[in-house]
Amino acid sequence: MTDTISLATEIAGIAFPNLMTNAAGVSCETTQELNAVLASEAGGVTTKSATPVARPGNPTPRQELLPLGSINSMGLPNRGLGYYLAYATQRQALAGQDLPAEVAAETAQHKPVILSVSGLSIEDNLAMLKDIQQSPFTGLTELNLSCPNVVGKAQLGYDFEAVVATLTEVFSHFTKPLGLKLPPYFDFFQFDGIAEAVGRFPIAYVNMINSIGNGLAIDAETETVLIKPKGGFGGIGGELVKPTALANVRAMRLRLHPDIKIIGTGGIRTGQDVFEHVLCGADAVQVGTELWREGPGVFKRLSEELRAIMKEKGYGSLDDFRGKLKTMGA
Ligand code: SIN
């Protein structure tokens, strides 16, 4: 019976009944969108990356589906940290209540919120983390060091010295569980460099990967770019990025201390894609482009497909195959 197959996972002692959540940015800007993810088979929800105050983001059109993925240059449209921190704190209070089982199930009572933050400067990030530190929220915070879409702002995750300087400041006062959303890396010197940089700090997890920054998608008929911001350059997600995402998950799993968990993000369209992320070492996964295409019902489909694969292979839990990718010698 596939019903007895567990898709549960855990990060920093926080239990997710299903390893899948949305990727920050998709179906997570408003409480309605966040609640829709929680009402689905997803194991939790990730908020839109917050800035200290609300932002409208980049001019539209700023996102398009592509035949094999997506391009976006949203520019961090969000309601501001206060909005998402209030939501995460309310959900945490709900989780602590003694509710009848049916009400608990209906309210997705025990599904955690990952609070994503992405300041436009190091000062922004430090200020937001200070607010979170002082709040009652004790869940997972995800520091996004990889948004490629804010005009004039480099992706901090590519500057390893700046990553170290930022995390040194962060961990001088932040004591709650913190994960990092990182950009894709493409060379072994980058895998080594980022693992060495973040591995010095007590991070709960790394989330690999954000979109592949600054791709270009065009309409040959009209000879025009598909999105307006940045002359058409935007982050590429979906099927197109799966091999890069798998490589980053695998590279980090081979380099980081086993206590640092990994969230695999990128190119998840089927249950087999989830299976492959876990095989490479992912403890949890996030779905972006396919959630945008299909809506929150995608989590049920992916869960059924993953359970069918696990049943076929005789696996009862993620532990049975996580990180167990086979290689072919030197
Ligand atoms: C955006 O809002 O531009 C996307 C955020 C991200 O890629 O981190």
Side-chain angles (χ1 to χ4, degrees):
M1 285 280 290
T2 52
D3 287 358
T4 58
I5 291 174
S6 171
L7 303 186
T9 195
E10 168 271 318
I11 298 178
I14 294 169
F16 291 74
N18 183 313
L19 79 160
M20 302 173 211
T21 68
N22 63 303
V26 184
S27 191
C28 59
E29 196 179 329
T30 64
T31 55
Q32 289 82 357
E33 290 173 340
L34 292 158
N35 286 339
V37 172
L38 286 174
S40 76
E41 205 158 313
V45 70
T46 313
T47 69
K48 175 67 188 169
S49 294
T51 48
V53 294
R55 276 171 62 83
N58 290 338
T60 59
R62 57 191 182 186
Q63 57 180 346
E64 285 296 332
L65 286 171
L66 307 174
L68 292 174
S70 62
I71 183 167
N72 90 83
S73 182
M74 303 300 288
L76 296 173
N78 76 94
R79 307 283 167 119
L81 176 67
Y83 183 90
Y84 302 108
L85 185 52
Y87 180 82
T89 306
Q90 279 161 15
R91 291 292 316 179
Q92 180 176 285
L94 178 69
Q97 288 174 26
D98 192 12
L99 296 176
E102 321 82 70
V103 183
E106 199 167 302
T107 57
Q109 185 192 11
H110 294 295
K111 293 186 180 178
V113 175
I114 300 176
L115 178 60
S116 174
V117 296
S118 185
L120 303 186
S121 63
I122 292 178
E123 292 71 31
D124 273 3
N125 283 326
L126 294 175
M128 287 193 288
L129 291 173
K130 205 166 211 165
D131 286 350
I132 296 167
Q133 177 70 29
Q134 286 167 357
S135 79
F137 179 64
T138 55
L140 297 173
T141 297
E142 181 167 293
L143 177 60
N144 180 353
L145 298 179
S146 50
C147 176
N149 303 328
V150 178
V151 177
K153 298 283 172 204
Q155 289 165 270
L156 196 86
Y158 285 126
D159 180 343
F160 302 152
E161 282 181 21
V163 169
V164 170
T166 300
L167 294 181
T168 302
E169 289 274 352
V170 165
F171 284 108
S172 69
H173 69 87
F174 197 76
T175 58
K176 297 179 176 179
L178 185 78
L180 303 175
K181 179 80 174 273
L182 294 171
Y185 299 102
F186 301 96
D187 192 288
F188 275 60
F189 94 85
Q190 291 181 311
F191 296 146
D192 292 341
I194 192 64
E196 197 280 319
V198 303
R200 301 183 202 180
F201 298 94
I203 51 173
Y205 70 89
V206 292
N207 184 344
M208 319 287 293
I209 56 174
N210 207 321
S211 57
I212 297 185
N214 299 308
L216 193 57
I218 61 178
D219 179 343
E221 196 168 315
T222 60
E223 304 176 12
T224 312
V225 296
L226 292 189
I227 58 172
K228 181 168 180 181
K230 295 179 69 178
F233 287 75
I236 304 297
E239 299 92 300
L240 288 164
V241 312
K242 188 178 88 168
T244 301
L246 293 178
N248 276 261
V249 169
R250 173 79 172 159
M252 288 308 108
R253 188 64 293 153
L254 292 175
R255 287 164 175 77
L256 294 176
H257 190 280
D259 287 348
I260 299 177
K261 300 285 175 92
I262 298 183
I263 298 181
T265 303
I268 292 178
R269 197 175 47 85
T270 67
Q272 182 176 318
D273 298 325
V274 180
F275 182 80
E276 291 177 15
H277 268 270
V278 176
L279 205 55
C280 287
D283 296 279
V285 299
Q286 294 187 341
V287 185
T289 299
E290 199 58 28
L291 170 59
W292 178 18
R293 273 201 196 110
E294 267 180 71
V298 71
F299 293 109
K300 185 166 190 298
R301 177 178 68 76
L302 294 174
S303 299
E304 285 167 356
E305 290 173 6
L306 177 59
R307 283 198 189 95
I309 292 169
M310 289 169 66
K311 181 175 179 221
E312 170 90 27
K313 289 175 177 276
Y315 296 148
S317 77
L318 304 175
D319 289 343
D320 292 341
F321 61 100
R322 183 187 293 114
K324 295 186 179 166
L325 181 68
K326 297 174 195 146
T327 57
M328 301 165 74

